Amino acid sequence: MIHRENGEIRPLNVVIRPGSPVAQAYHARHAAAAVTSKAVTSAGFRVRPEWDMTDHKGKKIKDLVFVNCFLGGAEAWASSDMKNIDEALSAAMSDSELQSVIAQYYPGQKITSTKLPPHVVADNVTPKFFKNQAEALAEELFLNGVLGKKDPGQSVINLMLPRGIVLVDGFSPGFHPPPGTEEEHGRRKRALIKIDDDAADSTQGLGGYHGSVHVNHNGEDVTVYYAVGVFSEGNNGIAVFDGENGAWQNVVATFYHELNEARTDPDVEDAVRLNDDSKIGWYSDGGNGEIGDLPIKEVESTPNAPLTQVFKVVQLTQGNGTAPIQLMWSNKVHAPAQ
């Protein structure tokens, strides 16, 4: 069963650096994921069928649409970084070999991924970026037409933070939820990972998260999905890759993680809001995480294992290029796979 505290579900929808203060705070609240297998895959990962993903019958997104939104304006980004991020993420999300891992969770169906033209958001970004700001911006971008005529129910708005901005898994000081949503907001606050009673942030190992916000559009309640991630470098975010291309490669790997989780478990935020585990899609009860979380936990549970075991620059099947990705969990091999 999905982890619960005081009768409320606590699914994981954030990406966390192993061994970080955020990881330690999370594990302090959750039972340790079971380890029983001694067998290993050809890639050197332990075979763990007890960690396999379970379909909780919630929504999934078979035909994914996404748009990369670069926050902070063009002056906050190197044009080459934006180009590399946009192209590499598109290539990774549409590569047939990489997506074959995701396709196993859609038996008998063909999955697709479509990237919309990138969008630069001119407004300044505060030094700390909070969950309510992410939701407000996702709503604003949707209402301003960033998805064009695409179905918001099948789409994810990627909110890409520029260099130096700290992402917080919590709400900004003084934030008040809309009237009538206080109970839901209380559940969401209790579900957050906290360190010394403060919301965890990217200087403590948080890389990004995905979620949703409900928007009144033409008199109808529309669910808008988003992912938000850090420009990981130094002690901010999950800085795995280094060198000249390291920072933008970290961004791609983070959003590869979030997009694949958003398509296999899009309504996790509503599950927390409503305390309703029928909103959960694919989730590992044994491993306590989504499809991208388990490979990171596999590294975390292996002494001295480097994150480069699951964060890799891989050759693409289509074309001659490469892309930085994070391995996802495969139920077929009961381990991380690409």
Side-chain angles (χ1 to χ4, degrees):
M1 297 294 292
I2 295 173
H3 174 74
R4 289 179 176 270
E5 292 178 19
N6 299 318
E8 296 178 344
I9 60 173
R10 295 289 184 267
L12 182 68
N13 68 328
V14 302
V15 55
I16 303 170
R17 185 177 72 245
S20 66
V22 179
Q24 293 170 20
Y26 173 78
H27 294 313
R29 288 176 51 178
H30 293 67
V35 180
T36 61
S37 177
K38 295 181 180 179
V40 297
T41 68
S42 59
F45 296 112
R46 282 170 289 186
V47 176
R48 302 177 188 262
E50 67 276 9
W51 281 18
D52 280 352
M53 308 296 294
T54 298
D55 184 3
H56 289 266
K57 307 303 181 182
K59 178 180 175 178
K60 296 92 178 174
I61 300 177
K62 179 175 70 72
D63 298 309
L64 175 71
V65 175
F66 67 94
V67 57
N68 296 328
C69 297
F70 296 91
L71 278 53
E75 64 278 5
W77 291 85
S79 58
S80 59
D81 283 348
M82 289 192 287
K83 181 176 183 293
N84 288 329
I85 290 168
D86 198 60
E87 292 179 353
L89 190 56
S90 176
M93 290 301 299
S94 58
D95 185 79
S96 59
E97 184 67 24
L98 292 175
Q99 291 304 293
S100 67
V101 176
I102 311 303
Q104 68 185 268
Y105 299 104
Y106 301 82
Q109 304 177 74
K110 179 182 177 181
I111 65 171
T112 65
S113 176
T114 302
K115 182 191 73 66
L116 298 179
H119 187 80
V120 178
V121 181
D123 295 345
N124 290 329
V125 184
T126 55
K128 286 190 174 184
F129 195 75
F130 294 85
K131 184 181 284 283
N132 54 290
Q133 291 176 296
E135 293 177 351
L137 183 55
E139 176 177 356
E140 177 185 336
L141 290 168
F142 166 68
L143 293 175
N144 287 341
V146 74
L147 296 177
K149 295 184 179 180
K150 298 296 184 181
D151 180 2
Q154 307 297 314
S155 306
V156 177
I157 299 173
N158 286 337
L159 305 176
M160 298 182 167
L161 297 177
R163 174 177 272 118
I165 302 302
V166 174
L167 177 63
V168 183
D169 183 33
F171 301 90
S172 57
F175 172 74
H176 296 286
T181 66
E182 290 84 1
E183 184 177 354
E184 295 178 6
H185 183 65
R187 281 194 286 266
R188 297 177 72 201
K189 287 182 66 176
R190 290 188 290 273
L192 299 173
I193 302 173
K194 292 187 177 182
I195 299 175
D196 297 330
D197 293 328
D198 291 324
D201 67 45
S202 54
T203 66
Q204 300 162 321
L206 175 70
Y209 48 83
H210 69 97
S212 59
V213 60
H214 289 268
V215 177
N216 186 310
H217 184 238
N218 296 328
E220 296 184 1
D221 178 67
V222 176
T223 303
V224 174
Y225 299 106
Y226 72 89
V228 58
V230 181
F231 192 95
S232 294
E233 60 181 355
N235 68 345
N236 193 29
I238 305 176
V240 180
F241 304 109
D242 53 20
E244 181 181 356
N245 296 319
W248 72 259
Q249 289 176 329
N250 291 327
V251 174
V252 174
T254 294
F255 279 91
Y256 185 81
H257 173 117
E258 296 301 343
L259 283 176
N260 283 310
E261 290 191 338
R263 79 182 312 174
T264 51
D265 188 26
D267 284 331
V268 63
E269 197 77 53
D270 275 354
V272 174
R273 281 188 180 105
L274 304 173
N275 195 29
D276 182 359
D277 57 11
S278 73
K279 296 289 186 181
I280 298 288
W282 285 102
Y283 193 88
S284 170
D285 300 342
N288 298 325
E290 296 177 315
I291 190 171
D293 300 321
L294 302 186
I296 295 178
K297 288 189 174 186
E298 165 68 8
V299 170
E300 190 169 36
S301 66
T302 304
N304 303 316
L307 264 179
T308 49
Q309 277 196 310
V310 293
F311 284 83
K312 296 177 175 288
V313 176
V314 300
Q315 189 71 41
L316 296 169
T317 304
Q318 288 128 332
N320 299 317
T322 61
I325 65 158
Q326 186 218 294
L327 304 189
M328 295 289 115
W329 187 264
S330 168
N331 274 9
K332 288 185 178 179
V333 300
H334 317 296
Q338 70 181 57

